[in-house]
Amino acid sequence: MAPKPGEPALGQVSKPMLAVLRGERRDPTPVWMMRQAGRYLPEYRELRAEKGGFLDLVYDSDAAANITLQPLQRFAALDAAILFSDILIVPFAIGQNLTFVAGEGPRLTPTMLASKLQDLTPHAGRLDPIYETVAKVKARLDPSKTLIGFAGSPWTVATYMVAGQGSREQAETRRFAYADPGAFSAIIGRIEEVTIEYLSRQIDAGADAVQLFDSWAGSLSPAQFEQWVVAPTSRIVASLRERYPDVPVIGFPKGAGGKLAAYARETGVTALGLDETVDPHWAANELPADLPVQGNLDPLSLIAGGEALKNAVSRILDAFAGRPHIFNLGHGILQDTPIANVQSMLAQVKGEA
Ligand SMILES: O=C(O)CCc1c2[nH]c(c1CC(=O)O)Cc1[nH]c(c(CC(=O)O)c1CCC(=O)O)Cc1[nH]c(c(CC(=O)O)c1CCC(=O)O)Cc1[nH]c(c(CCC(=O)O)c1CC(=O)O)C2
């Protein structure tokens, strides 16, 4: 007899987070944290110091697999592992140079303001070690945990390719997209094409679900949001759904606000990631009751701890009670987050506080 959606096949172990992504309500609420493998963990900082730089870790699939598993070894309550990699590996494979400047963050050259897409030399092989990491994690991961692959969404990745680094308002990229829509559309199209292949190969290597990070989606006007966030995401989702109809795709359009319902409807994502500026009660009323939602704790409340943290966690759990919900932060965990606060949050989410 065929298992119900979200239920494991006979003899398989249930993955609570995957069941929620397939539309089920699970209690206690499944939980994971964006950037859960990273600098807030002493064991990450130790391994990073040993290996040199961030990219040395990403490209050493044994180290990257160990890092991916570090948070799950420390916090038994986590329901998912997210691949230790970065959204900027894709522009690196498209042909930009990628470096991470200590204390500053990523830098990409030549920028698309200074050079043209056709001047870049593709290096598809720069994605291969990531697939090895996925396979190595899958082989070691507890079967009740969900393995999440990811990529940056085309708009967000394009902001890095154009400006050469993260930026507050992405003004250079928005100007570029208005001034030369043809050239910008070619950049978006190239990112889309590489991203479909990149996520497909992560799924082939063992990812149970994938997430698209559109971390800079909040800076766009409605017209540019439709053109550079919704349309490319819809094409990626359609392509993945055709190849892998049962693999959930989580869309995370950070800062999308009132555009969230239209984004979910028009892109066809399986689940919607909410950032910390979204009122969970508003989301519970505005979004379809059967649409799985993920989030959306303010990462700064996790630094604060105490009553502020407890109240913030309760508000989210109460708002999404009774519907498919995966608890997460509204953005990546901040590097100065106290481990004790993470433990308190997880205990509260699991009803053990
Ligand atoms: O210094 C290091 O060790 C590398 C820092 C680091 C990077 N990617 C990382 C890590 C590990 C960690 O977060 O501690 C590792 C990283 N990057 C990413 C993820 C996926 C996730 O958030 O769970 C992860 C964690 C994966 C995992 O937990 O296994 C994806 C990523 N890279 C990037 C972004 C854009 C953004 O952060 O909004 C995003 C989306 C994150 C989000 O929206 O929550 C681009 C990027 N990569 C990076 C940075 C610098 C981060 C900082 O300085 O605060 C930045 C941000 C920027 O400066 O524009 C490098």
Side-chain angles (χ1 to χ4, degrees):
M1 182 174 68
K4 286 198 315 249
E7 274 308 307
L10 212 54
Q12 300 272 313
V13 174
S14 167
K15 300 176 188 290
M17 178 172 155
L18 202 50
V20 172
L21 288 174
R22 291 192 173 135
E24 276 191 52
R25 166 73 204 175
R26 281 299 177 95
D27 289 295
T29 304
V31 56
W32 68 281
M33 301 178 290
M34 289 185 281
R35 286 190 190 252
Q36 64 186 21
R39 291 158 297 174
Y40 78 106
L41 290 177
E43 56 269 34
Y44 169 83
R45 297 197 299 267
E46 204 176 300
L47 194 48
R48 187 180 186 292
E50 189 188 308
K51 289 284 177 184
F54 173 62
L55 275 187
D56 300 303
L57 289 176
V58 171
Y59 279 105
D60 174 337
S61 60
D62 286 325
N66 289 336
I67 289 171
T68 303
L69 292 166
Q70 281 179 340
L72 289 98
Q73 285 153 0
R74 184 183 271 271
F75 307 115
L78 291 174
D79 291 287
I82 178 162
L83 165 68
F84 178 73
S85 181
D86 195 84
I87 64 172
L88 301 176
I89 301 301
V90 163
F92 191 39
I94 290 173
Q96 285 184 302
N97 304 310
L98 172 62
T99 55
F100 287 86
V101 180
E104 295 208 3
R107 293 293 179 271
L108 292 148
T109 56
T111 71
M112 289 294 97
L113 292 173
S115 181
K116 295 202 178 316
L117 185 65
Q118 50 269 34
D119 297 340
L120 299 180
T121 308
H123 295 277
R126 286 174 171 170
L127 301 175
D128 295 343
I130 312 303
Y131 311 133
E132 286 168 35
T133 302
V134 173
K136 288 177 177 174
V137 173
K138 188 70 175 193
R140 295 165 57 190
L141 190 61
D142 178 312
S144 69
K145 311 292 184 182
T146 300
L147 178 51
I148 308 167
F150 76 91
S153 300
W155 163 253
T156 288
V157 173
T159 67
Y160 285 93
M161 290 189 71
V162 167
Q165 63 186 72
S167 62
R168 294 294 348 126
E169 301 296 319
Q170 295 81 46
E172 302 100 322
T173 309
R174 287 155 55 204
R175 284 174 181 272
F176 185 112
Y178 279 125
D180 192 344
F184 190 68
S185 192
I187 293 169
I188 290 283
R190 176 70 57 80
I191 298 167
E192 252 179 67
E193 170 194 333
V194 174
T195 300
I196 289 168
E197 179 62 15
Y198 183 45
L199 291 173
S200 298
R201 298 279 302 274
Q202 289 180 41
I203 294 166
D204 293 339
D208 298 306
V210 293
Q211 176 157 324
L212 282 168
F213 283 86
D214 221 334
S215 308
W216 302 122
S219 55
L220 291 172
S221 69
Q224 283 203 320
F225 187 85
E226 274 299 319
Q227 198 173 8
W228 307 124
V229 168
V230 173
T233 303
S234 308
R235 291 190 291 266
I236 292 172
V237 171
S239 182
L240 291 175
R241 188 122 320 138
E242 194 187 330
R243 299 180 184 194
Y244 310 97
D246 295 334
V247 174
V249 180
I250 305 165
F252 177 52
K254 186 174 175 295
K259 306 183 189 90
L260 280 165
Y263 171 94
R265 192 175 54 250
E266 293 169 21
T267 60
V269 292
T270 320
L272 193 58
L274 307 176
D275 67 71
E276 67 272 15
T277 66
V278 176
D279 180 336
H281 288 288
W282 174 89
N285 292 325
E286 284 300 309
L287 299 173
D290 61 352
L291 175 72
V293 291
Q294 175 175 269
N296 65 323
L297 183 70
D298 180 352
L300 284 172
S301 70
L302 199 51
I303 292 187
E307 279 310 293
L309 174 59
K310 204 170 285 174
N311 295 338
V313 172
S314 298
R315 182 174 168 77
I316 294 164
L317 291 174
D318 294 349
F320 296 131
R323 64 179 291 152
H325 174 222
I326 296 156
F327 194 94
N328 205 320
L329 309 185
H331 197 182
I333 187 169
L334 295 166
Q335 59 182 317
D336 50 341
T337 301
I339 300 276
N341 291 353
V342 174
Q343 280 156 337
S344 306
M345 177 199 75
L346 292 172
Q348 187 177 351
V349 171
K350 294 299 184 183
E352 293 143 11

